[in-house]
Amino acid sequence: MRDRFPMLVVGGLVLAVILGNFLLRGASRGGFADTLSTYRASENGARALYLLAQESGLPVVRRSADLQVMDEQSSATMILLAVEVEGAREDDLDETLLATERDAGLADEDVPHEGFNALNAQELSDDEREKLLTYVKSGHRLVYVPWGSRENPLLDALEVKLSKVDTTLPMRTLVPPMPTPYTLGVERVEAKVQAFLELPSSAVPVLQDAQLERTVAAVVPYGLGQVLVVGSPELAMNQALGRADNAQFWLSALRALGSGPYEFSEFHHGFTNERSIVDFARRYGLHFAIAQLLLGVALWSISLKRFGRPHPPPESARVGATDALFAMSRLYREGHHHAFAAGLIAKGLTQELALYAGLPAHSPAPAVATGLQARGREDLSQALRAIVRRSEETQSDRDLQQLAARAAELRNRIHPTGPAHTPAASVEES
């Protein structure tokens, strides 16, 4: 035990560090998901918006498939929160000067990703964009909350241009410029704004800056459908729903867009139907639990080994085992139990060969011999029959020793290696 104690102490310390890290990661509930994902429960997630709509009786669902196939017979309203669009660009280079360094949160032009989310998050592809625009044009609704102020093909199709807000401006107060169903019950909204909207003449402003009188949210008609564009992604975040009338704005806006269901796209936040078991474990932190289990098994297996030269067994144990062996052999000799001992040898050999023949260990010797013959081991079959027959005729120590030697030889011939083994006929003849 003294030899294993240092290893046990080191293993305990390593295990404590790993368990502490695992508990800290588990404490950040919902932090595994992407920014503005409805699975994310931290400040910059949208889980509160999803639960708010759900508890208010609105039919909400999470969509984990791409937008390549859109059911035009459905009445679903698609919701894209901070989904990057393929082909995004910055037309006005002067606005780029307003952007701060990367990973600056809401002041960053790129959606902030954490860990593997940078690899899992999907852009809205050109094919998806065309399918989505066709879906809206046929009379459906879309809620689009872009991140940053860069132009992209989706906004171009809606004839909407984004104008970047100075990142040094504080939180803005937004008010409805006119009464609309989208702002029913809304007096003011408080949120940080990333971009003001420049709209076509057919658009309907929904929210504007109370001081600058610049539009932040608007409904843009497209074909027979409508698109609600919001230039403030923070308005949909968990941290903002408790301010002013922010929650009421979303409830009124969603109800005004139709009866639903309202589909939040989670495919573009990295949640797909084709996720593998490894990806699932990685996303939910299960790989740390598996690593801890493997580490524990490794430490346990190492602790079973001792360091240093092996110690000989105690003298009393060696002498006791030798005395017990001699006493047992004397009992068998004095009691003339040669036939019984021979039967035990034959029984043990039969059990071993039964497994090789594909039979239960308790199978009788004739059945085992037949099974060996069926498997093409005629030599083993004949040798087993000979040993069983000799075990019934054993009457002396010499006969018992010869039987044990032949049984050992037969065991070695189960998987013959090296020089050719003695043919079965020699066992029968001897």
Side-chain angles (χ1 to χ4, degrees):
M1 182 63 185
R2 212 178 306 170
D3 296 328
R4 302 174 187 171
F5 183 73
M7 180 61 65
L8 292 176
V9 172
V10 173
L13 292 176
V14 173
L15 187 60
V17 171
I18 294 178
L19 287 176
N21 180 59
F22 180 72
L23 291 175
L24 289 177
R25 287 180 56 87
S28 58
R29 178 176 176 267
F32 59 87
D34 199 19
T35 301
L36 276 179
S37 165
T38 59
Y39 288 108
R40 189 175 182 87
S42 54
E43 293 181 349
N44 59 349
R47 182 179 176 85
L49 175 58
Y50 182 87
L51 295 179
L52 171 68
Q54 187 178 58
E55 293 300 321
S56 300
L58 299 180
V60 291
V61 293
R62 293 182 173 104
R63 182 185 179 100
S64 56
D66 58 26
L67 304 182
Q68 295 282 359
V69 178
M70 303 292 294
D71 184 8
E72 296 190 2
Q73 303 300 322
S74 171
S75 60
T77 297
M78 295 302 306
I79 301 178
L80 304 181
L81 303 178
V83 173
E84 296 177 299
V85 180
E86 185 177 349
R89 66 195 185 281
E90 181 59 81
D91 290 340
D92 191 348
L93 297 181
D94 292 335
E95 291 190 354
T96 307
L97 299 177
L98 296 175
T100 58
E101 66 276 4
R102 185 169 179 79
D103 296 332
L106 287 168
D108 192 0
E109 282 293 279
D110 296 320
V111 181
H113 300 292
E114 297 181 9
F116 288 104
N117 292 331
L119 303 176
N120 295 332
Q122 304 286 332
E123 289 186 339
L124 186 71
S125 65
D126 292 337
D127 292 339
E128 289 180 296
R129 173 175 50 84
E130 293 299 329
K131 297 288 186 181
L132 181 60
L133 290 174
T134 302
Y135 179 77
V136 175
K137 185 181 291 186
S138 64
H140 297 85
R141 273 73 174 173
L142 167 68
V143 177
Y144 178 45
V145 182
W147 186 277
S149 62
R150 288 182 295 192
E151 288 74 21
N152 59 61
L154 180 59
L155 292 172
D156 293 342
L158 301 175
E159 300 181 6
V160 174
K161 181 176 175 56
L162 302 181
S163 177
K164 187 172 182 61
V165 175
D166 191 343
T167 57
T168 61
L169 290 177
M171 186 179 302
R172 312 305 298 167
T173 298
L174 312 177
V175 296
M178 65 182 75
T180 63
Y182 303 94
T183 55
L184 184 64
V186 176
E187 181 179 350
R188 62 185 176 86
V189 171
E190 294 181 356
K192 295 180 181 179
V193 178
Q194 282 191 342
F196 294 130
L197 309 181
E198 297 179 10
L199 305 169
S201 57
S202 59
V204 178
V206 173
L207 290 176
Q208 70 176 19
D209 191 294
Q211 294 179 340
L212 303 178
E213 297 184 353
R214 299 286 301 275
T215 303
V216 177
V219 175
V220 182
Y222 186 78
L224 300 177
Q226 295 176 329
V227 180
L228 173 61
V229 183
V230 181
S232 171
E234 200 225 10
L235 186 56
M237 291 183 178
N238 300 327
Q239 62 187 5
L241 283 192
R243 303 188 201 127
D245 299 325
N246 295 11
Q248 183 59 48
F249 164 74
W250 283 111
L251 292 178
S252 299
L254 292 178
R255 289 192 178 106
L257 287 172
S259 59
Y262 306 94
E263 292 191 6
F264 290 82
S265 176
E266 289 296 336
F267 173 85
H268 298 93
H269 291 297
F271 291 87
T272 67
N273 288 330
E274 300 176 354
R275 191 161 61 247
S276 64
I277 296 178
V278 174
D279 191 30
F280 178 85
R282 180 187 65 191
R283 177 173 294 277
Y284 287 91
L286 298 181
H287 55 302
F288 289 101
I290 297 174
Q292 292 168 24
L293 177 62
L294 295 178
L295 178 62
V297 172
L299 293 176
W300 174 76
S301 62
I302 293 176
S303 68
L304 295 180
K305 299 182 178 297
R306 64 171 308 280
F307 299 93
R309 300 179 60 183
H311 296 300
E315 185 70 18
S316 58
R318 291 190 294 109
V319 173
T322 305
D323 292 344
L325 181 62
F326 277 110
M328 186 63 65
S329 63
R330 182 177 179 82
L331 288 175
Y332 273 90
R333 286 196 303 271
E334 295 297 333
H336 300 285
H337 299 301
H338 303 95
F340 178 74
L344 293 179
I345 294 175
K347 182 179 180 180
L349 180 62
T350 302
Q351 291 177 347
E352 189 170 351
L353 291 175
L355 300 178
Y356 182 71
L359 298 174
H362 56 78
S363 300
V368 174
T370 304
L372 292 172
Q373 188 174 4
R375 291 200 169 197
R377 296 305 302 268
E378 182 70 25
D379 57 331
L380 297 181
S381 176
Q382 294 180 5
L384 176 62
R385 289 192 176 97
I387 288 178
V388 171
R389 186 169 57 252
R390 282 183 173 275
S391 67
E392 299 172 354
E393 303 171 354
T394 301
Q395 299 294 332
S396 64
D397 291 346
R398 184 173 180 276
D399 295 340
L400 185 60
Q401 291 175 357
Q402 291 180 351
L403 181 70
R406 285 178 171 79
E409 177 189 358
L410 183 56
R411 285 191 180 93
N412 294 333
R413 290 165 55 189
I414 295 178
H415 302 288
T417 56
H421 53 276
T422 306
S426 62
V427 178
E428 290 185 343
E429 295 170 358
S430 53

